[in-house]
Amino acid sequence: MIEKIIIAGAGGQGIMLLGKVLAEAAMQEGKFVTWLPAYGAEVRGGTAHCMVIISDRRIGSPRINQPDSLIIMNNPSLKKFKERVKNKTLLIINSSLVDKLPPKNTETLSHPFTDLAIKLGNIKVANMLALGCYFARKNIVEEKTVLKVIFEMAPADKKGLVEINQKALKEGLRLR
Amino acid sequence: MKRILMTGNEAMAEGAIQAGCRFYAGYPITPQNEIPAYMAGHMPQAGGVFIQAESELAAINMVFGAAACGARAMTSSSSPGISLKQEGISYMAGAELPAVIVDVMRGGPGLGNIWPAQSDYFQATRSGGHGDYHCIVLAPSFVQEAYDFMPAAFDLADKYRNPVIILGDGMLGQTMEPLHVTTSPRHHVTRQNKKWALTGCKGRTPNIVKSFYMKEGDLEKVNLLLQKKYKTIKIREQRYEGLFLDDAKVIIVAYGTMARICRAAVERLREKAKKVGLIRPISLWPFPENAFRLVNSRARRRVKFLVAEMSYGQMLEDVRLTLDGQAEVGFLGRSGGGIPSEEEIISKIKKL
C-alpha cells in the first residue's frame, strides 16, 4: 500500500496541521510516513501546501509528482495542482472557496467545509472537516487513532480546542 | 521505543545535543532554519550555549574558539552561508580542531534558490577553503540517519581532531519522518580529557592552538602530519551501504536524498527481476573506494554503473577515479531545484 496525498489551501487554513495529523496518525498505526512542506516565501499570505506519503514500506522520494489524493481548500490551489490530477485521483474540494469546476474524469467529493465549520462555531476547523471527509472515502487509519492524535497534538494551554476539532472530524466522516 | 515525527533539521539538532554538543553558533538561512530554532529552544535546558551570531563568519569563528577550549561545538548553514564559513573551516583544519558543520544544501550558484540540491559535493569533499586539507564528510539519507549520524560525527571529530561536515539538503532538512529518539546518556569526550585543549594552564605547560607557522620548514612538517592523518582516515573510515551487489548488472551510485530515491527505484526494478544494485556512499570523504573493490574482484568490466546526483556531475569524478576506466559509467544529474524521480531513474537504467 502506498498513498500519496497533496493538501493545498491558503496560509492560515491549517493546511500544514491537517497534513501533520494525517502523518502522525499513520505513524502511530505503524506505517512509514513522510511529510514535506512547501517552505518557500509562498507560505506567508499566499497558497500553502504539504505532501504526505503513507506506505507499508520505506518511502523513496518525499516529493509527489502524481498524487493519489488531493485536498483542495481554495481556488488558487486548484489552479496550481489541477495539472497533476490523473484518472483515479481522489479530489476533495472545499466548495465554500472553490467555484471553478474540477477536472473531469476524477472522483470528486465537494463540500462547503468553511461554511460547515462556521456552523460548528469555529471557522478554523474546516481542515478537520476536510480530513474527516478524506478518511470517510479512504480508510487509511482508524477514527480512534485520529481522535487521539488531535488530543495529543493540542498544546497544553489549548486543550479547550480539542473537542471542536474532534467534532469537526466526526462531522467530516459523515460527509459523502 | 517511542517514535516521534521530526524534520531532518530538528533531528540533527537533537542528535547533536544528545551527542554532548554544548555550543552552537549560527546565522539564519533557509532551508536549515529549524536547526538554530531548535537549538535556541533546547540548548539552554541542556546547559549549553546558543548564539545567533551577527554573520556566518562570526559563527564559524565562535565555533573555532569553543572547539579550542575543548567544547563539543557545531554550526550549521546552507550553501551560500557555508561558502562564507570556508576561511574558518580551513583554520580549524590547520589548527586540528574538532567541530561539526552541518550543510543543508540548496540550489546554486550564487544566492541560487532554497530548493534541495547536491551541488556542493566538491566544496565539501575537497578543501572548501584554502590550503591542502580535508574534512570528513557524512551524508545522511533519512531523518533517522540525520539524528544517528550526529554522535558519530562528533566522535570522529574528536578522534581525529578534525572538522566533520554533515552534508544534507533541503529535502532532508524539511521532511518530517518518524524518529526513534534514544534518550539514554551517551558517553562522550569531555573538555577535561582533551589534553591539547585550552582549559587553563595552571600547573601544566601551556597548550598552543594555531594554524600559523612562520619558521622555515615548520609548516611542511605540520602538513606532513596532516597528510599522515588523512591517510589513516582514508583507510579506516570509509562508510557505505551496498544493496544487491552480488549479482547486479547495473549498479547505481548515489548519496543522501538521491540515494533514498534510487533505493526505491532499485526495489521496484528488483520486483521485476531486473539485476540492479546500489552503492550508497555514506562517507563522501573518505570516498568509499572499498565498495567498488567488492565489485572489482568479480566481473567489474561487465557491470555498468550509473551515477545519480542532484548536481551536474561531481561525485561522478570520484566514481570514475575509483573505477579507473575499468567499467562504463553513465550519469543522471539535475540541479537548481530539480529532483530526479524514481521513474526518471528507472527509464535511464532501461536505456543503459
Side-chain angles (χ1 to χ4, degrees):
Chain A
M1 187 282 288
I2 183 159
E3 166 77 356
K4 301 179 177 183
I5 312 125
I6 297 179
I7 304 133
Q13 276 186 308
I15 301 300
M16 301 296 164
L17 183 68
L18 197 169
K20 280 182 194 170
V21 171
L22 177 56
E24 175 79 30
M27 179 187 75
Q28 290 198 7
E29 291 195 0
K31 300 278 199 292
F32 285 94
V33 298
T34 57
W35 173 93
L36 177 68
Y39 57 91
E42 60 190 325
V43 176
R44 284 139 204 128
T47 57
H49 74 262
C50 63
M51 298 176 168
V52 177
I53 303 180
I54 300 168
S55 179
D56 290 330
R57 48 203 262 185
R58 194 122 71 137
I59 295 161
S61 180
R63 201 182 132 96
I64 301 172
N65 293 322
Q66 290 273 295
D68 300 303
S69 303
L70 255 171
I71 302 178
I72 298 288
M73 297 299 280
N74 69 352
N75 263 334
S77 301
L78 182 63
K79 196 180 164 199
K80 187 178 171 111
F81 287 107
K82 69 179 179 208
E83 302 303 324
R84 301 203 197 189
V85 172
K86 57 184 175 183
N87 243 345
K88 285 179 181 168
T89 311
L90 169 67
L91 203 56
I92 302 214
I93 293 223
N94 177 18
S95 61
S96 307
L97 297 171
V98 177
D99 49 24
K100 305 244 163 55
L101 280 180
K104 285 174 187 168
N105 304 327
T106 60
E107 190 186 346
T108 305
L109 294 175
S110 180
H111 294 284
F113 300 122
T114 302
D115 295 312
L116 291 169
I118 293 169
K119 263 185 218 163
L120 281 178
N122 188 339
I123 191 172
K124 288 180 182 169
V125 298
N127 58 351
M128 290 300 119
L129 279 151
L131 183 61
C133 181
Y134 167 77
F135 283 136
R137 177 59 188 77
K138 293 243 180 174
N139 213 1
I140 296 272
V141 283
E142 286 188 43
E143 182 182 343
K144 64 172 188 210
T145 312
V146 190
L147 293 173
K148 181 168 156 264
V149 165
I150 291 174
F151 175 80
E152 287 170 357
M153 282 178 75
D157 57 336
K158 288 190 178 149
K159 291 291 180 200
L161 291 172
V162 169
E163 196 189 332
I164 180 97
N165 276 281
Q166 290 180 336
K167 201 172 152 190
L169 185 96
K170 286 181 190 163
E171 196 82 5
L173 277 160
R174 279 202 285 273
L175 296 171
R176 289 290 184 275
Chain B
M1 216 189 316
K2 202 181 172 221
R3 295 202 304 167
I4 51 171
L5 272 182
M6 246 193 196
T7 65
N9 282 335
E10 291 165 334
M12 285 187 274
E14 177 61 27
I17 292 173
Q18 291 296 336
C21 174
R22 290 296 176 267
F23 183 90
Y24 174 93
Y27 185 81
I29 182 171
T30 304
Q32 62 83 56
N33 285 325
E34 292 76 14
I35 299 176
Y38 193 93
M39 286 299 192
H42 294 79
M43 196 55 115
Q45 284 91 315
V49 175
F50 165 83
I51 298 175
Q52 181 173 320
E54 70 269 34
S55 70
E56 284 85 353
L57 267 71
I60 193 72
N61 284 297
M62 288 172 184
V63 168
F64 184 108
C69 296
R72 280 203 152 175
M74 79 172 260
T75 185
S76 64
S77 191
S78 176
S79 308
I82 294 290
S83 292
L84 291 167
K85 289 181 199 282
Q86 291 303 334
E87 181 195 46
I89 297 170
S90 169
Y91 278 44
M92 279 195 285
E96 290 197 271
L97 286 177
V100 174
I101 299 118
V102 174
D103 183 359
V104 183
M105 289 183 283
R106 59 187 249 179
L111 210 44
N113 64 18
I114 58 173
W115 307 117
Q118 295 183 320
S119 34
D120 304 328
Y121 178 93
F122 282 152
Q123 188 189 51
T125 57
R126 277 59 177 168
S127 331
H130 63 281
D132 208 340
Y133 68 93
H134 279 290
C135 294
I136 297 169
V137 185
L138 303 178
S141 271
F142 298 96
V143 169
Q144 184 68 49
E145 290 180 344
Y147 178 83
D148 291 340
F149 282 17
M150 293 310 290
F154 278 101
D155 287 348
L156 283 169
D158 279 329
K159 185 174 174 189
Y160 294 104
R161 288 182 58 189
N162 205 72
V164 175
I165 293 174
I166 298 281
L167 196 66
D169 63 69
M171 180 88 96
L172 176 78
Q174 293 294 323
T175 301
M176 270 197 181
E177 278 186 300
L179 172 72
H180 285 290
V181 175
T182 42
T183 44
S184 57
R186 292 169 192 268
H187 291 287
H188 51 79
V189 186
T190 60
R191 286 185 70 200
Q192 282 66 35
N193 54 32
K194 292 182 182 179
K195 298 280 178 235
W196 50 268
L198 310 184
T199 52
C201 63
K202 201 172 178 185
R204 65 161 168 80
T205 6
N207 289 332
I208 298 167
V209 171
K210 64 169 186 176
S211 68
F212 190 43
Y213 299 92
M214 279 297 277
K215 206 175 138 205
E216 197 183 337
D218 275 8
L219 181 60
E220 191 168 7
K221 274 184 216 152
V222 171
N223 280 348
L224 285 173
L225 286 174
L226 282 181
Q227 291 304 316
K228 203 175 156 194
K229 176 170 83 173
Y230 298 150
K231 203 175 163 189
T232 310
I233 296 173
K234 269 186 145 179
I235 292 166
R236 288 194 191 155
E237 305 299 345
Q238 292 183 28
R239 293 166 192 220
Y240 62 91
E241 198 186 350
L243 208 63
F244 304 117
L245 296 186
D246 287 343
D247 64 343
K249 294 212 165 77
V250 176
I251 295 174
I252 307 178
V253 190
Y255 72 94
T257 287
M258 213 45 244
R260 69 179 286 165
I261 299 171
C262 289
R263 170 195 286 274
V266 166
E267 284 169 357
R268 273 169 64 176
L269 287 163
R270 279 277 157 180
E271 280 168 10
K272 290 175 187 158
K274 300 263 189 269
K275 294 195 168 166
V276 181
L278 177 73
I279 290 176
R280 177 219 159 185
I282 290 172
S283 61
L284 302 183
W285 197 89
F287 188 72
E289 293 165 359
N290 293 342
F292 295 82
R293 266 187 210 117
L294 278 180
V295 186
N296 272 359
S297 55
R298 278 183 275 277
R300 186 150 84 160
R301 278 174 196 285
R302 281 183 280 119
V303 177
K304 282 182 184 170
F305 288 84
L306 173 70
V307 178
E309 288 177 82
M310 276 138 61
S311 81
Y312 295 114
Q314 300 192 12
M315 185 175 69
L316 175 65
E317 291 194 4
D318 279 336
V319 174
R320 282 190 176 142
L321 281 169
T322 306
L323 289 169
D324 201 17
Q326 288 180 52
E328 201 180 308
V329 183
F331 180 69
L332 187 150
R334 289 177 65 181
S335 191
I339 302 159
S341 63
E342 286 167 37
E343 290 73 23
E344 278 175 77
I345 309 280
I346 290 169
S347 90
K348 180 79 185 180
I349 283 177
K350 284 179 179 164
K351 279 182 212 149
L352 280 181

